[in-house]
Structure formats: C-alpha cells, structure tokens
C-alpha cells in the first residue's frame, strides 16, 4: 500500500489552518492558512514544498475558502486524498476519543456547541463544507477535550451544586488534549519507557497554555476547565482569578458579563500584565531593555506555571519527566529556567547547554545529572490528528 495522505483542517471563527500529512514524510507537503474570512481582506496563504504563495479571496467565507484549498490539497496529494481529519474543540462528555463523522457525531458536536460557542460552530462549518465538497471521503473529528475524559471525578468536578453538573454539564473538561497526548507518547519513545508504565507532567505553552498529569498514557488532571480560560496565565487570557471578580467588577464599575468576559479572554494574561504585548518574544526583548511590565508578566507567568505543575503532581504515582511544548515551551530557555527555580522541592536542575540547544524544533532532555528528567518535545497536533484519522480508517 502506498503512503496515505490525510488533510488536517482546523477551523477558527474567521480562519482555517490546514496541513496535508503524508504518513511516510516527516514534513508536510502542503500547509497553509486562510484568514480574515468573511471580510473584504480574506486571504489564503499556503506553502507547497519550499514555495510560498498567497491568493486574495475577498469576501470568502469558510466554504468558499475550502473550495479553493481542497483542490490544492488534492493536487499536492497526487490526486489521492485518503481522508480528512477535523480538529473540534469541544466534545463534551460524548467523546473519549476521535470519531468517524456521521449524523450522530455531528449532532453531538452541535449539542456541545453551548460549551464552546466560538469554536464548535466554526468547526461544524468546516466539516459541512468538506463533506459537501468530498462526499465520498472518510472524515474524522478529533476533539481537544477527548483525551481528558479519563480524569477521575474528584479531578473533574467543581464544588458547586450537583444539578449544575447533572443537568447543565458544568464540570472541568480540559483542552489541548491532542498536544498533551502526542508529546507524552513522544517522550516515552525518546526515553525508551513504555507508555503504559510512565508518568509525566506536561506544559503546553503557546498563546493558550495548560498543564496536564499523564499516567500510563491517560490524562489524570489538567489545568483548563469548563472553558479554556481556567488555569495558567496565557497570551491574552487571565487564567485563574477569584470567581467573585465578576460580581466585584459589576458592582464597582458597572461592567456587564460581556465586558468582563472580553477583558478576561482578550485583554488579560501577558498582554494585560505587561501593558505591552501578548507575545513572549516581544516581552523577553522588552524585559532585557528594562521594561518593568514585561518583567512582571514574565515573573507571574513562570510562578503560576510552577504552582500549577506542583499541584498536577498530586495526580502522579511517580515522575518520569516534565515536558515543555508549544511555542513558548519549545523556545523560551528563560521560561524553562525560571519555572524550575520555583520547583526546588522537586530537585530539578537544568543543563544550561542542553537547555540552550533545545529551541526551534529541536527536542531532547535538558536536565543536569541528578535531576528528574526535563524534556523539550516539539508538539505536532496536525500529525496526531492525521494519525487518529488513519487509525479510524484502519479500524
Ligand atoms: P504557539 O501558540 O504555540 O504558536 O505559541 C505562541 C507563543 O510562543 C508566543 O507567545 C510566542 O512569542 C512564543 N514564541 C515563539 N517563538 C519563540 C521564541 N523563539 N522565544 C520565545 N517565545 C517564543
């Protein structure tokens, strides 16, 4: 059988990220981004091999953009596309793994839309358009939440009245499951440990950030909750705040729930703390130049991350390693160093040279002798989505 090709699609509210994954190739033959969809500035960017191209698609919506990009994927796959893998943000309690898409699965994704009102509807638009354009091709949904369905009840329940869970689905779900799962399996491969007898702490640090405790290949706890706002400080998201903040701001400033939501999701995190930027690269440069806000944002980010990792350790029977991934986790030697300085009780020590070497897609172990393992593992959500899709095609 020749190596199969899977198109991976990730639809956001006004964008589509896509990648063609060939099971025999480590790089993507085609990848790209359609952005500003629904506006006059809508544009499709793609990279085919080493060649980058862009096409203005003014006014294009998700469907129109998919109509342009699907033939590109067909061509790049030599006319032989074997399936499409869709990233879906929220699967509620319906899905413990990835699923071949059928009418029942679509209904369950619709039912979960209340839990992810910005994401699931966009994911559904992408799925509907792909089915309309390629009705004969198997399509698979891969959920951010599914990996965390193995959390025990004491980890996923909030201490609120039971009917809110039973009748209104209020519980912790967790996100970034594809990434946490992928990097923990890669770490097991890299260290020669069996997945089904290994315990990891993972820190996915990108624009969104979360930690996870993974035992024998299963999520046992994670820092995000009902929505991707809970937990760590992120690019523009606050992470944990006192739940009474809402009523306090309403009483003192007269802010509406929408205003508070917007502030916590879009104006907080590194951006809110620094008053400068949500981008850690910018903050690291500003910090080096003496910018007090950038320094504070960096310090709060690392301390809160360390606190989260320490609390995740409650879910582990032993620690085989701490894994850093995501744009920040894979690249910021300073974040890795500062975070571990806050975890002295774990006896972590870094090998400075190895820490400096592991950036820009280079992974490996970065601990000094005598320290528990610390690994940098580049994440690859597209490949994991393609692998899940292939596994379902094989089944
Ligand atoms: P992601 O969402 O995984 O693409 O990660 C985005 C975050 O990674 C942003 O805060 C970037 O500033 C950060 N990032 C990317 N490259 C670097 C780098 N070389 N050094 C520090 N942070 C980086």
């Amino acid at each position: 059988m020749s190596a199969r090709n899977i198109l991976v699609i990730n639809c956001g509210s006004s964008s589509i990220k896509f990648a063609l994954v060939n099971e025999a190739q480590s790089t993507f033959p085609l990848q790209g981004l359609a952005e500003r969809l629904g506006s006059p500035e809508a544009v499709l960017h793609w990279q085919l091999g080493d060649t980058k191209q862009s096409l203005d698609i003014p006014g294009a919506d998700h469907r129109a953009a998919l109509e342009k990009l699907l033939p590109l994927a067909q061509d790049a796959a030599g006319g032989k596309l074997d399936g499409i893998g869709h990233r879906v943000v929220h699967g509620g309690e319906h899905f413990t793994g990835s699923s071949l898409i059928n009418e029942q699965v679509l209904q369950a994704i619709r039912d979960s839309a209340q839990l992810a009102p910005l994401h699931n509807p966009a994911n559904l638009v992408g799925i509907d358009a792909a089915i309309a354009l390629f009705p004969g091709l198997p399509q698979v949904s891969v959920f951010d939440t599914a990996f965390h369905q193995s959390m025990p009840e004491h980890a996923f329940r909030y201490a609120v009245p039971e009917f809110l869970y039973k009748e209104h689905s209020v519980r912790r779900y967790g996100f970034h499951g594809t990434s946490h799962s992928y990097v923990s399996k890669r770490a097991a491969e890299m260290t020669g440990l069996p997945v089904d007898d290994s315990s990891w702490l993972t820190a996915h640090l990108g624009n969104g950030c979360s930690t996870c405790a993974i035992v024998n290949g299963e999520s046992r706890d994670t820092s995000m909750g009902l929505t991707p706002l809970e937990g760590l400080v992120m690019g523009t998201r606050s992470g944990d705040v006192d739940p009474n903040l809402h009523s306090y701001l309403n009483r003192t400033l007269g802010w509406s729930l929408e205003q508070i939501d917007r502030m916590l999701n879009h104006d907080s995190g590194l951006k809110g703390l620094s008053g400068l930027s949500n981008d850690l690269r910018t903050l690291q440069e500003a910090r080096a130049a003496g910018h007090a806000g950038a320094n504070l944002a960096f310090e709060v980010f690392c301390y809160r991350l360390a606190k989260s990792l320490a609390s995740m350790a409650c879910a582990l029977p032993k620690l085989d390693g701490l894994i850093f991934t995501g744009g920040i986790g894979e690249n910021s030697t300073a974040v890795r160093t500062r975070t571990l300085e806050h975890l002295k009780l774990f006896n972590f020590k870094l090998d400075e040279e190895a820490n400096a070497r592991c950036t820009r897609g280079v992974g490996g172990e970065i601990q000094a002798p005598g320290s528990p393992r610390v690994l940098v593992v580049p994440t690859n959500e597209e490949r994991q989505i393609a692998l899940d899709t292939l596994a379902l095609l094989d089944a």
Side-chain angles (χ1 to χ4, degrees), residues 283-291 294:
L283 295 185
Q284 290 189 158
E285 283 164 25
R287 187 171 170 247
H291 189 287

Side-chain angles (χ1 to χ4, degrees), residues 28 37 39 42 110 187 218 222 264 275 283:
F28 304 140
L37 296 176
S39 82
R110 281 182 212 117
E218 292 183 351
T222 189
L264 293 174
L283 295 185

Side-chain angles (χ1 to χ4, degrees), residues 10-341:
N10 180 356
C11 283
S13 52
S14 64
S15 68
I16 305 173
K17 277 193 210 154
F18 60 97
L20 183 71
V21 182
N22 178 283
E23 62 182 332
Q25 295 176 26
S26 59
T27 55
F28 304 140
L30 169 77
Q31 58 187 316
L33 170 71
E35 59 182 346
R36 296 187 221 145
L37 296 176
S39 82
E41 289 83 37
V43 58
L44 176 64
H45 307 283
W46 72 96
Q47 180 169 356
L48 183 66
D50 292 330
T51 314
K52 290 184 180 175
Q53 292 183 67
S54 292
L55 177 70
D56 288 330
I57 43 174
D61 58 8
H62 287 77
R63 168 113 194 215
L66 281 164
E67 278 171 10
K68 292 270 183 257
L69 74 87
L70 286 171
L72 293 175
Q74 270 287 34
D75 283 353
K80 195 184 152 297
L81 208 51
D82 295 277
I84 301 186
H86 297 268
R87 177 193 181 208
V88 179
V89 167
H90 220 305
E93 286 189 331
H94 300 286
F95 300 100
T96 56
S98 303
S99 288
L100 259 179
I101 295 176
N102 56 29
E103 190 41 47
Q104 246 178 330
V105 169
L106 284 172
Q107 190 52 45
I109 298 172
R110 281 182 212 117
D111 291 345
S112 305
Q114 178 68 3
L115 292 163
L118 294 181
H119 293 103
N120 275 29
N123 300 150
L124 279 165
V125 169
I127 293 172
D128 286 342
I131 291 175
L133 293 166
F134 285 102
L137 211 54
Q139 315 238 357
V140 166
S141 49
V142 179
F143 300 92
D144 270 30
T145 51
F147 179 60
H148 301 298
Q149 281 295 303
S150 49
M151 280 195 283
E153 193 163 14
H154 64 255
F156 76 67
R157 286 290 292 273
Y158 290 114
V160 296
E162 189 185 31
F163 80 96
L164 289 175
Y165 168 55
K166 291 272 155 79
E167 294 165 34
H168 300 284
S169 308
V170 174
R171 52 158 285 179
R172 309 184 63 251
Y173 291 94
F175 298 85
H176 294 143
T178 311
S179 177
H180 289 297
S181 163
Y182 177 83
V183 298
S184 61
K185 284 195 212 107
R186 276 290 297 137
E189 274 171 24
M190 288 158 69
T191 54
L193 294 171
V195 171
D196 58 6
D197 181 16
S198 62
S199 294
W200 308 98
L201 290 175
T202 52
H204 175 103
L205 311 174
N207 269 318
C209 302
S210 66
T211 55
C212 186
I214 300 170
V215 179
N216 304 341
E218 292 183 351
S219 170
R220 293 289 164 84
D221 199 358
T222 189
S223 59
M224 284 177 166
L226 176 74
T227 74
L229 184 58
E230 186 176 333
L232 304 178
V233 174
M234 310 183 211
T236 61
R237 283 174 253 171
S238 63
D240 292 339
V241 292
D242 186 326
N244 269 328
L245 183 61
H246 288 74
S247 52
Y248 179 80
L249 293 177
N250 176 258
R251 262 187 286 115
T252 54
L253 301 178
W255 283 11
S256 66
L257 283 179
E258 287 71 30
Q259 279 176 298
I260 299 169
D261 257 17
R262 201 173 325 120
M263 178 274 289
L264 293 174
N265 279 289
H266 300 295
D267 302 327
S268 297
L270 294 174
K271 181 181 171 193
L273 277 165
S274 67
L276 186 66
S277 170
N278 64 316
D279 192 300
L280 188 81
R281 276 165 299 198
T282 308
L283 295 185
Q284 290 189 158
E285 283 164 25
R287 187 171 170 247
H291 189 287
N295 188 52
L296 177 69
F298 175 87
E299 292 294 345
V300 176
F301 182 90
C302 295
Y303 179 67
R304 292 266 298 267
L305 169 60
K307 233 165 79 161
S308 174
L309 288 166
S311 69
M312 284 295 138
C314 294
L316 300 184
K318 59 175 178 163
L319 179 62
D320 288 315
L322 163 61
I323 302 164
F324 285 101
T325 193
I328 294 173
E330 291 169 31
N331 289 297
S332 177
T333 55
V335 164
R336 298 189 299 235
T337 302
R338 190 77 184 114
T339 302
L340 297 193
E341 282 169 2

